[in-house]
């Protein structure tokens, strides 16, 4: 039966129009979402419960895990419902709300990754001043700035998009509500919206990426000039390798999507890239951090291993 939309809702065309592929995509995205919840949830729990991880690095890692859970939860549950449903509509208010939280959480993650790079820079290049510079008050302040800045950035996009008139088709060529697909449906002049998207969101993502690279550049230069030992350099860089992998996985797709102008020909590319930063990257984050971090692995074994042992003893 043909999907019908009213004037106050949009039809999400989703990932594929092939009916037979929808159960396959449903299983894949359900597994991705569950792994995201379990993996990031585990890191968040140990960052709170394990006293040895009560440091700036793991404070920001806990923020990142919380963000990844929320980030995927903004889009994936709706994607899963639509893959099983014949009517893939979303209300206008629901669409703008999804857009707002998607940009809010995405921008926060971009800034947070830059803050985490700065934290590594201070820890490696100024170890004697680390506890003074990255004190609890400073960590909380940096996190609050990241969240508040991102909230108002997202609010700007959601308000600017909500004021548009969508007098043409209400079929959204995406699997969630985002600014660029909505601009394609608007009958107003969207030049200001496109410029705000490219300039503001592009500046936040690329600016944060530049600051992250700058931090790593100073780390490498400092170690090369202060320490001639390759072993020390390798050890220091290995502690940053996991963070740098996450940075590349996040900023690459985001920069590709939001620094280019919206066009019909780019929508299919944006849809594929969106899968990476909305679903794949949040799943890889906990895997990258746990597999390359001995402290996290030990904390996971201590926290969940002891609880599993107690559970087995109780039900023996």
């Amino acid at each position: 039966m043909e999907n019908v939309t009213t004037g106050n809702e949009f039809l999400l065309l989703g990932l594929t129009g092939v009916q037979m592929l929808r159960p396959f995509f449903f299983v894949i995205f359900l597994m991705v979402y569950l792994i995201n919840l379990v993996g990031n949830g585990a890191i968040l729990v140990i960052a709170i419960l394990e006293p040895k991880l009560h440091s700036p690095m793991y404070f920001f890692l806990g923020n990142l895990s919380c963000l990844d859970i929320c980030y995927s939860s903004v889009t994936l549950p709706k994607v899963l419902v639509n893959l099983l449903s014949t009517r893939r509509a979303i209300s206008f208010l629901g669409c703008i709300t999804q857009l707002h939280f998607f940009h809010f959480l995405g921008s926060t993650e971009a800034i947070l990754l830059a803050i985490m790079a700065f934290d590594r820079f201070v820890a490696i290049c100024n170890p004697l001043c680390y506890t003074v510079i990255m004190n609890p008050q400073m960590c909380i302040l940096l996190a609050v700035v990241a969240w508040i800045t991102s909230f108002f950035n997202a609010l700007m996009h959601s308000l600017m998009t909500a004021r548009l008139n969508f007098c043409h088709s209400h079929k959204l060529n995406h699997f969630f509500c985002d600014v660029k697909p909505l601009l394609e449906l608007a009958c107003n002049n969207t030049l200001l919206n496109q410029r705000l998207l490219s300039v503001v969101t592009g500046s936040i993502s690329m600016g944060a990426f530049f600051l992250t690279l700058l931090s790593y550049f100073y780390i490498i230069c400092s170690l090369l000039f202060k320490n001639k030992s390759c072993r020390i350099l390798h050890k220091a860089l290995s502690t940053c390798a996991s963070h740098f992998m996450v940075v590349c996985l996040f900023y690459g797709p985001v920069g590709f999507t939001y620094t280019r102008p919206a066009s019909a020909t780019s929508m299919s590319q944006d849809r594929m890239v969106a899968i990476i930063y909305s679903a794949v990257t949040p799943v890889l984050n906990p895997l990258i951090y746990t597999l390359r971090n001995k402290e996290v692995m030990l904390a996971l074994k201590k926290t969940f291993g002891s609880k599993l042992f107690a559970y087995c003893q109780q039900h023996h």
Side-chain angles (χ1 to χ4, degrees):
M1 192 172 108
E2 185 70 23
N3 287 299
V4 179
T5 61
T6 63
N8 62 345
E9 63 182 17
F10 294 98
L11 180 68
L12 295 169
L13 297 184
L15 296 167
T16 178
V18 182
Q19 186 70 35
M20 293 179 63
L21 289 176
R22 289 181 188 172
F24 171 75
F25 278 116
F26 176 82
V27 172
I28 295 297
F29 277 90
L30 179 61
M31 290 176 61
V32 166
Y33 186 51
L34 292 176
I35 293 170
N36 172 31
L37 293 180
V38 173
N40 284 296
I43 291 180
L44 186 57
V45 168
I46 63 168
I48 294 171
L49 297 181
E50 179 55 50
K52 290 183 180 180
L53 300 185
H54 290 175
S55 65
M57 176 182 175
Y58 296 106
F59 168 76
F60 294 124
L61 180 57
N63 271 263
L64 182 64
S65 294
C66 180
L67 274 171
D68 283 333
I69 292 172
C70 298
Y71 197 39
S72 291
S73 298
V74 170
T75 56
L76 291 189
K78 185 63 177 176
V79 171
L80 292 171
V81 170
N82 287 345
L83 285 170
L84 297 179
S85 175
T86 55
R87 191 173 187 275
R88 293 163 286 164
I90 184 171
S91 68
F92 179 80
L93 180 59
C95 189
I96 297 299
T97 301
Q98 188 179 58
L99 180 155
H100 173 80
F101 280 99
F102 186 79
H103 279 266
F104 169 37
L105 296 166
S107 298
T108 305
E109 183 156 345
I111 299 172
L112 187 64
L113 288 172
I115 293 171
M116 292 174 75
F118 174 73
D119 172 70
R120 292 298 84 205
F121 160 72
V122 177
I124 293 171
C125 299
N126 297 284
L128 297 178
C129 301
Y130 180 71
T131 54
V132 176
I133 297 173
M134 300 303 292
N135 58 71
Q137 292 78 17
M138 177 57 72
C139 293
I140 293 171
L141 177 62
L142 290 171
V144 168
V145 167
W147 286 86
I148 291 178
T149 302
S150 302
F151 177 83
F152 284 107
N153 170 58
L155 185 64
M156 174 192 67
H157 288 305
S158 56
L159 290 177
M160 290 296 294
T161 306
R163 61 185 284 274
L164 297 174
N165 293 318
F166 301 95
C167 52
H168 302 307
S169 171
H170 279 223
K171 293 182 179 180
L172 201 64
N173 190 22
H174 216 304
F175 58 91
F176 66 92
C177 288
D178 200 3
V179 177
K180 290 178 74 174
L182 284 168
L183 295 184
E184 288 293 305
L185 304 182
C187 51
N188 308 65
N189 185 344
T190 61
L191 182 61
L192 178 60
N193 298 69
Q194 292 186 39
R195 284 183 175 175
L196 286 174
L197 187 66
S198 297
V199 174
V200 180
T201 302
S203 296
I204 289 175
S205 58
M206 293 299 100
F209 184 52
F210 173 75
L211 292 175
T212 303
L213 292 181
L214 190 64
S215 295
Y216 282 113
F217 174 76
Y218 276 110
I219 287 172
I220 294 170
C221 289
S222 176
L223 291 170
L224 284 174
F225 287 109
K226 289 183 180 179
N227 301 288
K228 303 298 182 181
S229 172
C230 291
R231 183 183 62 83
I232 296 174
L233 178 63
H234 179 267
K235 183 179 179 181
L237 291 179
S238 66
T239 62
C240 302
S242 56
H243 178 240
F244 191 68
M245 289 172 66
V246 172
V247 166
C248 293
L249 284 169
F250 179 80
Y251 286 123
V254 169
F256 177 83
T257 301
Y258 294 110
T259 55
R260 297 177 302 124
S263 66
T265 55
S266 69
M267 282 298 106
S268 58
Q269 294 176 331
D270 290 349
R271 194 162 60 246
M272 295 305 296
V273 171
I275 295 174
I276 298 175
Y277 63 76
S278 66
V280 177
T281 303
V283 169
L284 293 178
N285 284 356
L287 292 175
I288 290 170
Y289 278 111
T290 53
L291 292 176
R292 296 186 60 88
N293 194 306
K294 292 181 180 179
E295 288 181 319
V296 173
M297 288 294 291
L298 289 172
L300 283 171
K301 290 178 182 178
K302 178 182 175 182
T303 303
F304 294 101
S306 59
K307 290 184 178 180
L308 181 62
F309 177 76
Y311 177 83
C312 293
Q313 288 289 98
Q314 185 179 354
H315 292 80
H316 189 271

